[in-house]
């Protein structure tokens, strides 16, 4: 789940709409009613949802690539089967979310074109490489853990199709997180080399995982509006703090060290203080300068091109079916 807000200079959407309709819409949102596809909604609400849900869907699909790379190299048949099931789950999540976005009037083709052209973003976390088997454990533990932190509140998001899609997604992501943590437990309790490999993976994935929650609240262009419309239920910084507070004890249980010299427990706030994120790196990765960003997009474009014959065949079959039905 990957709903990071990654557009730093979004201009406000100015529209002139019926004040009575706007007031009724705002009242329904404030009353925690679901907004459904045929309900009236402000144009800015619709556009915000299309941006967020399509970005979420893209992240699920691109997110298959780092782990798919390890299916044939997993250390046992059991690990292969688990990882294969997980990658299949992520593909399903993308399909649920594309379908939810389509209820807002956009099309699958428009969303895919926006991704391939660079207009649409996906989570920055997937522009980092998976170098060792321990990375698969770290992704499950940290990346899917951060995704769950983002996604659980989305089960109460104000747009009905999105909220309902997230119920199943969250259940499956919870399995993914436990699967990753199980890998880390095995490595941390294995040989000295295996534990070093686990620590190395934690060192490389910790800060990108914190970046998944998006820019700080005072520099997030979409948070205020999304919170008012209850698309989001908690801010980027609130979710990031929760993630740190849950993950640090998990690292301690593993006997691993979180790579943050400034990390310390703050008794007054009942949570951890932690160091400053490298926001220059964050925005560089957003711009497509991540270590494997070009590789990821090439893989997605190639997959789309290679699958053109399947789409053409399905369209031709549907056209013939309609002809027969009309005859």
């Amino acid at each position: 789940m990957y709903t990071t807000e990654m557009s730093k200079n979004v201009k406000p959407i100015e529209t002139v709409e019926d004040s009575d309709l706007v007031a009724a819409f705002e009242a329904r949102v404030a009353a925690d009613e679901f907004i459904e596809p045929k309900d009236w909604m402000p144009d800015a609400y619709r556009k915000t949802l299309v941006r967020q849900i399509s970005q979420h869907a893209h992240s699920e699909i691109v997110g298959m690539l780092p782990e798919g790379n390890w299916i044939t190299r997993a250390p046992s048949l059991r690990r292969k089967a688990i990882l294969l099931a997980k990658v299949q789950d992520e593909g399903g999540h993308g399909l649920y979310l594309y379908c939810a976005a389509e209820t807002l009037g956009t099309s699958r083709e428009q969303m895919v074109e926006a991704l391939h052209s660079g207009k649409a973003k996906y989570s920055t976390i997937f522009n980092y490489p998976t170098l060792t088997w321990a990375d698969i454990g770290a992704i499950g533990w940290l990346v899917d853990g951060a995704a769950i932190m983002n996604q659980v509140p989305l089960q109460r998001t104000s747009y009905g199709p999105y909220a309902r899609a997230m119920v199943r997604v969250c259940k499956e992501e919870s399995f993914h997180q436990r699967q990753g943590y199980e890998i880390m437990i095995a490595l941390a309790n294995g040989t000295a080399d295996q534990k070093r490999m686990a620590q190395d993976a934690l060192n490389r994935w910790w800060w990108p995982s914190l970046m998944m929650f998006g820019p700080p609240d005072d520099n997030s262009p979409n948070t205020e509006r999304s919170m008012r419309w209850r698309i989001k239920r908690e801010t980027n910084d609130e979710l990031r703090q929760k993630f740190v507070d849950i993950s640090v004890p998990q690292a301690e249980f593993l006997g691993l060290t979180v790579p943050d010299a400034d990390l310390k427990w703050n008794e007054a706030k009942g949570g951890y203080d932690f160091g400053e994120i490298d926001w220059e790196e964050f925005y560089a990765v957003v711009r497509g300068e991540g270590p494997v960003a070009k590789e990821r997009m090439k893989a997605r474009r190639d997959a789309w091109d290679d699958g053109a014959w399947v789409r053409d065949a399905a369209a031709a079959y549907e056209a013939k079916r309609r002809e027969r039905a009309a005859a």
Side-chain angles (χ1 to χ4, degrees), residues 203-214:
N203 292 346
R204 287 183 288 105
W205 289 96
W206 176 255
W207 291 107
S209 296
L210 295 192
M211 294 177 193
M212 280 182 66
F213 297 96

Side-chain angles (χ1 to χ4, degrees), residues 18 24 41 65 97 114 117 143 147 196 222 245 252 297:
D18 187 296
M41 64 188 74
L65 298 174
L97 293 163
S117 67
V143 176
R196 280 194 292 270
N222 301 302
D245 291 344
E252 291 173 349
M297 286 312 305

Side-chain angles (χ1 to χ4, degrees), residues 9 37 53 62 65 68 70-71 89 136 148 188 191 199 222 290 308 316:
N9 297 306
I53 299 173
V62 177
L65 298 174
W70 277 91
I71 291 174
D89 284 349
I136 304 305
I148 293 167
T191 66
Q199 181 65 59
N222 301 302

Side-chain angles (χ1 to χ4, degrees), residues 278-324:
D278 185 348
W279 294 114
E280 290 187 8
E281 177 183 338
F282 172 81
Y283 286 114
V285 179
V286 169
R287 292 192 300 269
E289 299 170 16
V292 292
K294 293 180 180 178
E295 176 185 326
R296 297 286 183 249
M297 286 312 305
K298 182 180 185 303
R300 288 308 312 149
R301 294 189 187 102
D302 288 349
W304 181 257
D305 292 341
D306 292 344
W309 70 272
V310 178
R311 297 191 300 277
D312 291 344
Y317 176 82
E318 177 62 14
K320 289 181 179 179
R321 187 193 67 80
R322 291 184 179 183
E323 287 177 4
R324 288 195 296 268

Side-chain angles (χ1 to χ4, degrees), residues 1-2 86 90 137-153 173-181 209-210 212-213 239-240 242-244 246-247 250:
M1 142 15 175
Y2 314 94
K86 180 185 177 183
E90 304 294 7
I139 287 175
W141 169 34
L142 297 174
V143 176
D144 292 320
I148 293 167
M149 198 66 63
N150 263 317
Q151 291 171 349
V152 166
E173 291 289 2
S174 295
F175 163 77
H176 300 167
Q177 195 273 344
R178 290 194 293 272
Q179 173 259 340
Y181 196 61
S209 296
L210 295 192
M212 280 182 66
F213 297 96
L239 291 168
R240 191 167 12 246
K242 283 186 175 183
F243 175 75
V244 172
I246 288 175
S247 300
Q250 293 173 343

